[in-house]
Amino acid sequence: ATARGRGTASGRRFASAAGSTSVIFTSQTGLVDLRRENDWDAWYADHLRIMVTVPGIFSAQRFKTDSPGYAPSLAMYSVASAAVFDDAYYRSVRGLGEWLALVDRRYYLRNLFEGLAEAPAVAAGARLVVADREQEDGTLGALRLTWLTCVGLDRSTPLRGITVLNAAEPARIAYDRVAIYRPVTEYMRSAATMYSDRNAT
């Protein structure tokens, strides 16, 4: 079995969060009125751009899936620590605004996970694999999932296994209760993170 916070995707190892207070924040949603989906997608892309201006939020990306049993929409953020959610600016820009009334409450879940220093970037054509489990699932060993531990908010799953399949790998996999999410936005990064990366090279 893979260790929590470790795993590979397409031969690439995710950065472990060992010794870090960083968390992965996920927001799962769906719409009750799909006629508004294009407007919803445009709003959400703008919302992610605003979210990465919050101090302590380093990345944001949104995904969609048709996999049964999983939320149609998943947004994933890299966050320095849970203290970010107490920031006054964050509180002023958070939430779904006018869209909250159109959200399908069956899918509206927010979770905080530990186990990675930063959410993986998923390129266009690649896929994010998600498996929610009570415990690490040995039957999924071939996927080499990174198992994240839920530590806050709705706590809808004790563990979430994730990995990334690149464009050359099959988009559909034959596993029960596993979702395949496609990216619908680019991987957005905060200006502070991009500045730090430039100075590290």
Side-chain angles (χ1 to χ4, degrees), residues 28-41:
Q28 301 164 215
T29 51
L31 279 187
V32 295
D33 184 358
L34 295 181
R35 295 173 299 177
R36 300 290 308 279
E37 190 166 16
N38 288 340
D39 292 337
W40 161 250
D41 290 346

Side-chain angles (χ1 to χ4, degrees), residues 23-176:
V23 290
I24 305 299
F25 170 46
T26 64
S27 179
Q28 301 164 215
T29 51
L31 279 187
V32 295
D33 184 358
L34 295 181
R35 295 173 299 177
R36 300 290 308 279
E37 190 166 16
N38 288 340
D39 292 337
W40 161 250
D41 290 346
W43 176 88
Y44 221 130
D46 286 340
H47 178 64
L48 297 190
R49 294 185 187 99
I50 293 170
M51 288 289 280
V52 294
T53 68
V54 174
I57 296 183
F58 304 130
S59 74
Q61 190 169 22
R62 182 173 174 240
F63 309 86
K64 288 185 180 182
T65 189
D66 299 315
S67 300
Y70 283 83
S73 171
L74 170 68
M76 190 158 56
Y77 307 85
S78 304
V79 182
S81 75
V84 169
F85 303 120
D86 294 325
D87 179 80
Y89 176 56
Y90 167 78
R91 290 181 173 274
S92 74
V93 299
R94 70 175 181 176
L96 299 175
E98 64 183 285
W99 293 97
L100 187 59
L102 293 176
V103 165
D104 190 331
R105 293 292 173 165
R106 294 175 300 169
Y107 299 119
Y108 187 37
L109 295 167
R110 299 170 304 148
N111 289 298
L112 288 180
F113 294 96
E114 289 182 345
L116 285 177
E118 186 175 1
V122 183
R127 295 293 184 265
L128 176 71
V129 179
V130 174
D132 289 348
R133 295 291 191 271
E134 295 287 330
Q135 58 187 9
E136 293 185 24
D137 189 343
T139 68
L140 304 179
L143 292 174
R144 305 185 72 182
L145 298 170
T146 295
W147 290 100
L148 308 179
T149 302
C150 192
V151 294
L153 298 178
D154 291 325
R155 298 177 183 266
S156 64
T157 180
L159 296 178
R160 174 165 292 173
I162 65 170
T163 194
V164 177
L165 299 179
N166 65 36
E169 295 176 292
R172 295 187 180 275
I173 53 176
Y175 290 98
D176 185 38

Side-chain angles (χ1 to χ4, degrees), residues 163-194:
T163 194
V164 177
L165 299 179
N166 65 36
E169 295 176 292
R172 295 187 180 275
I173 53 176
Y175 290 98
D176 185 38
R177 297 185 300 123
V178 172
I180 307 296
Y181 280 92
R182 62 190 181 277
V184 293
T185 70
E186 63 182 333
Y187 186 79
M188 303 179 193
R189 307 187 73 189
S190 68
T193 303
M194 291 187 290

